[in-house]
Amino acid sequence: MALQLAVREDFVPLHTFATVKLGLKTGADGFFFVERLPNPSSGGELLSRRGIILVEGQDGWRGEIASADLRPAILNPHQLFVGDTRLFAVSKDTKHLYLCPQSGRLRHGLAEYVRLGELIGIHQGELVQSNGSDAGWYVQVRSLVTSEWVLPYNSAYDYGAWHNPHAAVLNGRFVGAEPIDKNNSELIGAVLNSTFAAMGRLIEGVATGVEGAFDVGPPAARKIKVPDIRLFDEQGRKLVLAAFEAIRENGEMLPCPSRTGNVLQLRRDLDSSLLVALGMSRGLAAAFLDPLYASYGRWRGNIEDVEAQMRVNRRQMNVTGLNRNQRPAETAGKRVWEELEHLVSLFPRAFLPNEEILELVNIPAGASIQVSRPLFEEGTIRTKTKAVDLKSYERVRYVSMLRQLGLVGNIEVPTSATKAAAIVELFEKDQRRFHELASENAAKYVSGKEAISEVVEIARRHWFQACRKNALAGQKTVKSSRKLN
């Protein structure tokens, strides 16, 4: 249905009668957008008699700034909600204010606030410097975006335009639409709050993959096809303006069609008035709108079903200790380990009975360990300046095994070379067996030699981690320690 709207000759791109701009990019929103606080000296009023406003800014700074140095501003679409209700218009007393110093000396707490910004390096930001004026980095020269109609950059199931009668400054989370002809302002507000605009952004916007959300920046917003208000005659204009005025009086931005295609009567009245203004009869308009709402509902329902399943999957992942940010290989590797953990032993603790005599030995991570039996000093482990003699190569191999498991520093080594050799042989056998089983199981989740190898190594990492935890939990020493010397 959206494609049918896009090819209608009586629908035109938004840029035909509105200038579309992205909200202001300051480079340091935390500094330039401050939060309005109640002024205790004026009984909690937001603006004192002295023309100053108490605000909170960067890093929790609080102070008074002249109202002349501030402009009302909006930072986030969520600020335009009251509970679950989206307001129709931006309030005059916005929660946030944009720092816009007047020429001359810095008044009240502004000098202190600017100094704070310099101390923490706000003025060194690339975009801040680019936007700065000759008067100072804190006076931005980039044109403010205070458009009369405000669209969200990112939107989900609902889409529409807020009225901005007090010229609040928009930041980069918003897209402003300013009528080219001011006489058409209300008509532009009407088409932007119609189902036609909500449908059009599904074509022009970019899906984000999150709960039906679309990014609709200025290039996309300019292309959204809406009813051509230039075709309205005087009677048609009055019809549309009357329907839109009813929405304004209601004070809420109307929700888009539900998954079942249901809409509020105010939305239906607005959409119908736009079609009638284009020359349709009311009967044809009604016949046109019902499949339009059903089409939007099908899209919404499909997205909501997918999101519901994703929420179930996320809950299951949380139960298993996984999260949505994990790479697929990490998830597969953990599953493979869980499938094999009862088939492998936790070295070395599984083969060290309580009566086993162990020696505590300090082997730094940087110590050099021979990979094959040397001709001389076969029991010696060295660093560049120190050495420790373990008396046998079997015990050196045991230390090498512990290093593979990730156990370094102070480690316990059996005093019996025979026991050390037996444990190492069992470990090497289990290593080969683990590789075979893990490769077979990994193939159930991923394909390709490299992907399978990655999953196997992740599963091995979980095995070694379990070995370390088991070894450290049962650590005991009955013989004096030996250190590199």
Side-chain angles (χ1 to χ4, degrees):
M1 194 70 183
L3 294 175
Q4 295 179 31
L5 295 177
V7 298
R8 288 183 62 94
E9 293 184 356
D10 50 3
F11 276 58
V12 294
L14 177 60
H15 69 74
T16 305
F17 33 73
T19 301
V20 180
K21 296 180 180 179
L22 180 66
L24 185 64
K25 292 285 191 178
T26 67
D29 280 5
F31 179 87
F32 287 101
F33 290 99
V34 296
E35 183 175 347
R36 188 195 303 260
L37 298 175
N39 196 322
S41 65
S42 57
E45 296 178 5
L46 296 176
L47 180 64
S48 75
R49 295 187 182 91
R50 292 185 294 148
I52 59 174
I53 299 178
L54 180 65
V55 300
E56 181 173 323
Q58 183 79 39
D59 291 354
W61 178 90
R62 291 191 175 197
E64 294 180 337
I65 295 180
S67 58
D69 293 328
L70 299 167
R71 295 281 299 271
I74 50 175
L75 299 188
N76 193 307
H78 295 298
Q79 296 177 353
L80 303 176
F81 280 71
V82 174
D84 294 331
T85 301
R86 296 193 304 165
L87 301 176
F88 176 83
V90 180
S91 169
K92 179 181 180 180
D93 295 323
T94 55
K95 179 180 179 180
H96 287 88
L97 301 158
Y98 173 69
L99 186 64
C100 189
Q102 302 297 300
S103 59
R105 68 181 184 86
L106 302 180
R107 296 169 289 181
H108 303 294
L110 187 53
E112 177 187 325
Y113 188 51
V114 168
R115 178 58 178 158
L116 168 68
E118 292 172 345
L119 288 174
I120 61 178
I122 298 296
H123 64 302
Q124 296 175 338
E126 183 177 348
L127 188 54
V128 172
Q129 291 182 355
S130 175
N131 290 345
S133 69
D134 294 338
W137 62 269
Y138 48 86
V139 181
Q140 298 201 310
V141 295
R142 180 167 294 188
S143 298
L144 302 183
V145 181
T146 58
S147 306
E148 186 171 0
W149 296 102
V150 182
L151 296 163
Y153 188 99
N154 178 271
S155 58
Y157 303 121
D158 297 316
Y159 187 73
W162 292 278
H163 192 214
N164 186 22
H166 306 292
V169 177
L170 316 182
N171 82 336
R173 293 187 178 92
F174 296 98
V175 174
E178 186 69 26
I180 295 174
D181 182 349
K182 294 294 184 181
N183 294 323
N184 290 331
S185 177
E186 289 296 290
L187 292 177
I188 292 173
V191 298
L192 288 176
N193 282 285
S194 70
T195 306
F196 310 120
M199 205 73 164
R201 58 104 196 203
L202 299 182
I203 296 178
E204 305 300 343
V206 177
T208 65
V210 179
E211 296 185 353
F214 278 73
D215 283 343
V216 186
R222 294 186 187 108
K223 297 178 182 178
I224 292 176
K225 292 290 190 71
V226 293
D228 189 349
I229 62 176
R230 300 170 302 177
L231 302 178
F232 297 173
D233 60 18
E234 189 60 29
Q235 184 177 356
R237 290 174 66 95
K238 289 181 178 179
L239 184 66
V240 172
L241 292 175
F244 192 51
E245 181 60 25
I247 295 174
R248 180 187 292 279
E249 291 179 357
N250 185 56
E252 300 177 8
M253 189 183 290
L254 302 179
C256 286
S258 69
R259 63 180 293 143
T260 58
N262 293 327
V263 297
L264 296 178
Q265 188 61 44
L266 286 173
R267 175 172 287 280
R268 181 177 287 274
D269 290 344
L270 175 64
D271 293 338
S272 177
S273 70
L274 289 166
L275 294 178
V276 171
L278 288 176
M280 283 190 187
S281 67
R282 291 189 179 276
L284 285 177
F288 186 91
L289 291 176
D290 285 338
L292 175 71
Y293 297 153
S295 175
Y296 196 94
R298 285 193 297 273
W299 167 79
R300 183 170 188 158
N302 290 336
I303 297 298
E304 288 178 345
D305 290 344
V306 170
E307 285 301 314
Q309 185 59 50
M310 289 180 65
R311 285 192 291 272
V312 171
N313 293 342
R314 286 196 286 268
R315 285 195 294 268
Q316 292 175 343
M317 289 175 70
N318 290 335
V319 168
T320 59
L322 304 176
N323 64 73
R324 62 191 297 185
N325 295 320
Q326 280 186 310
R327 296 185 301 112
E330 292 286 349
T331 302
K334 190 173 189 300
R335 288 177 178 172
V336 170
W337 161 240
E338 290 171 347
E339 293 165 357
L340 299 182
E341 60 180 325
H342 66 287
L343 299 177
V344 293
S345 301
L346 298 181
F347 289 84
R349 180 53 52 184
F351 302 97
L352 295 174
N354 291 333
E355 64 272 14
E356 186 71 41
I357 301 176
L358 304 174
E359 181 182 13
L360 184 64
V361 181
N362 181 270
I363 307 292
S368 175
I369 300 179
Q370 298 285 349
V371 295
S372 59
R373 188 185 297 269
L375 293 176
F376 306 101
E377 298 182 330
E378 63 177 33
T380 301
I381 295 177
R382 296 181 180 276
T383 66
K384 290 182 179 180
T385 59
K386 299 179 180 180
V388 62
D389 187 4
L390 296 180
K391 306 300 184 184
S392 71
Y393 182 64
E394 289 71 22
R395 298 183 74 210
V396 171
R397 289 181 63 205
Y398 186 92
V399 171
S400 179
M401 177 196 72
L402 296 183
R403 176 175 287 186
Q404 288 186 63
L405 294 173
L407 293 165
V408 295
N410 290 324
I411 55 177
E412 294 177 335
V413 181
T415 56
S416 168
T418 302
K419 186 59 176 281
I423 293 175
V424 171
E425 288 177 6
L426 289 172
F427 174 69
E428 292 177 346
K429 181 179 179 180
D430 258 23
Q431 277 265 60
R432 293 189 292 270
R433 181 164 171 263
F434 182 88
H435 185 83
E436 292 174 0
L437 294 174
S439 297
E440 180 180 338
N441 286 25
K444 297 187 299 184
Y445 304 108
V446 297
S447 60
K449 185 176 180 180
E450 291 184 2
I452 290 175
S453 295
E454 182 181 11
V455 171
V456 169
E457 290 310 309
I458 291 171
R460 194 191 311 276
R461 189 177 68 207
H462 284 290
W463 176 29
F464 287 1
Q465 182 181 47
C467 289
R468 291 195 300 272
K469 288 182 178 179
N470 190 53
L472 294 173
Q475 198 170 61
K476 66 182 183 66
T477 303
V478 296
K479 189 173 180 179
S480 58
S481 64
R482 184 191 304 265
K483 297 182 180 180
L484 286 168
N485 50 49

